[in-house]
Amino acid sequence: MDATKRERLLKAAIKMFARDGFFKAKVEEIAKLAGVATGTTYLYFKNKDDLLISIFEEEMTPLIESMKAELAKQTSPQEKIVTFIKRHCQVVEKNPDLALLLEVELRQSNKFLHEYQGTTFKEYLDLLGNAFAEGQKAGLFYQGVHPSIFKQLVFGAVDQISTNWTLSKTKNLKLSDAAEQISYVVLQGVKK
Amino acid sequence: MDATKRERLLKAAIKMFARDGFFKAKVEEIAKLAGVATGTTYLYFKNKDDLLISIFEEEMTPLIESMKAELAKQTSPQEKIVTFIKRHCQVVEKNPDLALLLEVELRQSNKFLHEYQGTTFKEYLDLLGNAFAEGQKAGLFYQGVHPSIFKQLVFGAVDQISTNWTLSKTKNLKLSDAAEQISYVVLQGVKK
Amino acid sequence: MDATKRERLLKAAIKMFARDGFFKAKVEEIAKLAGVATGTTYLYFKNKDDLLISIFEEEMTPLIESMKAELAKQTSPQEKIVTFIKRHCQVVEKNPDLALLLEVELRQSNKFLHEYQGTTFKEYLDLLGNAFAEGQKAGLFYQGVHPSIFKQLVFGAVDQISTNWTLSKTKNLKLSDAAEQISYVVLQGVKK
Amino acid sequence: MDATKRERLLKAAIKMFARDGFFKAKVEEIAKLAGVATGTTYLYFKNKDDLLISIFEEEMTPLIESMKAELAKQTSPQEKIVTFIKRHCQVVEKNPDLALLLEVELRQSNKFLHEYQGTTFKEYLDLLGNAFAEGQKAGLFYQGVHPSIFKQLVFGAVDQISTNWTLSKTKNLKLSDAAEQISYVVLQGVKK
DNA sequence: AATGAATGAGCTTTCATTCAT
DNA sequence: TATGAATGAAAGCTCATTCAT
């Protein structure tokens, strides 16, 4: 088993899925981009679906773990939230294809992805939710906003802006600036 | 031209695209749901893509127009923003299939949708952007947030929360409550 | 639904399965031989397997029914047995492709065929077994041969000879002569 | 050349071909069952077809030779025929996989098998045919049955019954009993 | 305008065979 | 010799689109 080939296939799949979407992307082209024969794909992945699932499991999980670790280092709820936003934007900036894929395909209501959303993705969102709830408990944040609203509000905002940045050709917006503005608005918005 | 059949096909397409996604949805099933023969679809629409485009053009445009009219009635920028959020949520609540379709497929980076995003959708977002810029000009809002960031932040937040509401089986969250909380946070967040 | 097309597909499948065997036969070639497009095959049959099953169900069953009716007309067990042998040979002579297919593929241990053997084919064999058992009861036949041995002995003999005739290019053997000789041997062989 | 590996591959192929049929059987699984790597198969056999041909040539030939030798020991035509039947059943009983393979695949009208049937298999059948012709010449058997009919009749009967025995799960029939009944019927059937 | 049977290009997946190690 | 990862041709099946009726 060639770990490199598997890795190359995953990277190629990320690129093609991001560019064409899961359904339009062709296994043959993914293989070609990875520099292997079509059939080789099936030595490393059960089928096309498995390729997508593996991307989620193997590429997204580490990012979540890394985010979790980073947030754990932050002491205040405010810092956790700001760190989440900033870091998410950095990750998008460094992995635009993966980001696009997650952003686009995560919306697809396919069974396996829906199940996936229910576990790993929820965990990711809860990093925000927990930080906010913690801040509420500490009397730092306004009580009238529910943590599950807050976490989705922030994620939705960050996701929208970073997706748009990824798709934009010009990239005349600095994503780090956007992150700061988002942070400002949402923290100011819930400040007591 | 039988307006009824065309309309029925559009409604059926919205339902099927929302349920299965654009690629998995079958023209034959859309036709069956609309109560017409498969071939009839092609009397009213050039092809499957055209069906999707038409949904955007014909279903979304009225919503945008209506939103535009509604916002024109509002005097203050704050009211415009709150109205946008509230009304968007109401529309989602009343047209869950259409909402889901827009939310999901809007993310697909297909050519035709991308082009579409550049026009009608941009117009929709600009309703938010303009209201905010107006408020900034009037000295009501914080200057450190760029209108194009603000509009995407708000839209992303509302979209995320309403999509999630549409997909959730339980619907134990009242979307109107969510709208109020979002409004609170974003207005508070940019208040001078 | 075009009954003719379905029929043409069945006939074409019989020919191709007989010539190439089930696995080597290509759906595309069957369709071409039937004068339809590949996809048309799937309007009339669920899949390639269904094509084979349908041949069995729709082509073999009538033959069995007809044999059953013919044997019912015969009064003595001997006549029934002779009629079975003669008639089987006549059917093979008139439907060489179907015969070859049944003979060859019936041996394949595929699940669906095995199940099929357990029902329709057993019924066919039992026509012989019952005639023989009847003759034994009437004291016409030797008791030392079990009906289930007899029926398989006769069927095996007839099947082997008729298959061989079908495969032989020269056909210098008259199958009706063979039928007579088989009849002579097996009846003489169990005469009391 | 490693005789053991070659032999193990042949045995494994017999098992897999018998279980799954020639086309469904996978080279990789045959190799695995033989305890060698996939590629090793191609060191000992030209291709998958060659594996099947070799089984016929190398497994069947000894059986034919042994049968030939056995029959040579028998003095009367009747004994030769009875010995053939009995011995064939014994071989089937001892080599069910090989038997099944021969029985099933011999029917396939593939080129190589057809050619094969014309040589080795014909030789096997002729053991029966010659014994019968000899008996006819000696005035022991009825003249109205042609040797080539007789040999196929007997082989077909034995083959059908032994195949059925091999496939049956219960095996509540003793194959040696069947052999005796077949012998009785066919000898009685041609007795002068 | 309406039908729905027919089309056939295009896709995923399999697997006999090869070949670098 | 032996390996088993890699190959890529080949095949079954789907479904958007067409077209005779």
Side-chain angles (χ1 to χ4, degrees), chain A residues 17-24 100 103-105 107-110 114 117 121 125 142 144-150 152-161 163-165 167-169 173 177-178 181-182 184-186 188-191, chain B residues 18-24 100 103-111 114 117 121 125 142 144-150 152-161 163-165 167 169 173 177-178 181-182 184-186 188-191:
Chain A
F17 287 164
R19 204 192 68 183
D20 299 336
F22 177 74
F23 288 102
K24 279 184 64 183
L100 202 51
E103 289 154 351
V104 170
E105 302 296 341
R107 302 296 180 109
Q108 295 282 19
S109 60
N110 297 323
H114 226 232
Q117 280 192 44
F121 180 59
L125 275 188
Y142 173 56
V145 172
H146 196 278
S148 85
I149 293 289
F150 181 82
Q152 291 194 81
L153 186 160
V154 176
F155 177 78
V158 175
D159 185 45
Q160 171 71 34
I161 288 164
T163 301
N164 198 265
W165 176 87
L167 287 174
S168 81
K169 311 266 159 43
L173 167 77
D177 286 351
Q181 294 179 35
I182 300 167
Y184 173 84
V185 174
V186 299
Q188 191 70 17
V190 296
K191 197 165 67 179
Chain B
R19 204 192 68 181
D20 298 336
F22 177 73
F23 286 102
K24 280 182 65 182
L100 202 51
E103 289 155 352
V104 170
E105 303 296 342
L106 214 56
R107 301 297 180 110
Q108 295 281 19
S109 59
N110 298 322
K111 225 179 305 165
H114 224 232
Q117 280 192 43
F121 179 60
L125 274 187
Y142 173 57
V145 172
H146 196 280
S148 85
I149 293 289
F150 181 81
Q152 290 194 82
L153 186 160
V154 175
F155 177 78
V158 175
D159 185 45
Q160 172 72 34
I161 287 165
T163 300
N164 197 264
W165 177 88
L167 288 174
K169 312 266 159 45
L173 166 77
D177 286 352
Q181 294 179 34
I182 299 167
Y184 173 85
V185 174
V186 298
Q188 190 72 17
V190 297
K191 198 166 66 180

Side-chain angles (χ1 to χ4, degrees), chain B residues 68-121:
Chain B
K68 210 183 282 183
E70 193 72 15
L71 294 204
K73 289 188 208 152
Q74 311 303 318
T75 48
S76 75
Q78 291 100 327
E79 282 171 317
K80 287 183 182 176
I81 291 164
V82 170
T83 303
F84 182 100
I85 295 169
K86 203 181 290 181
R87 204 177 162 72
H88 183 96
C89 286
Q90 286 167 354
V91 169
V92 168
E93 214 161 1
K94 275 190 194 143
N95 310 275
D97 286 329
L98 180 59
L100 202 51
L101 173 58
L102 295 175
E103 289 155 352
V104 170
E105 303 296 342
L106 214 56
R107 301 297 180 110
Q108 295 281 19
S109 59
N110 298 322
K111 225 179 305 165
F112 57 87
L113 280 182
H114 224 232
E115 284 160 11
Y116 186 77
Q117 280 192 43
T119 58
T120 313
F121 179 60

Side-chain angles (χ1 to χ4, degrees), chain A residues 32 38 59 120 128 187:
Chain A
K32 191 182 285 175
T38 310
E59 302 288 324
T120 312
L128 273 172
L187 284 185

Side-chain angles (χ1 to χ4, degrees), chain A residues 5 37 39-40 44:
Chain A
K5 242 161 227 165
T40 305
Y44 295 96

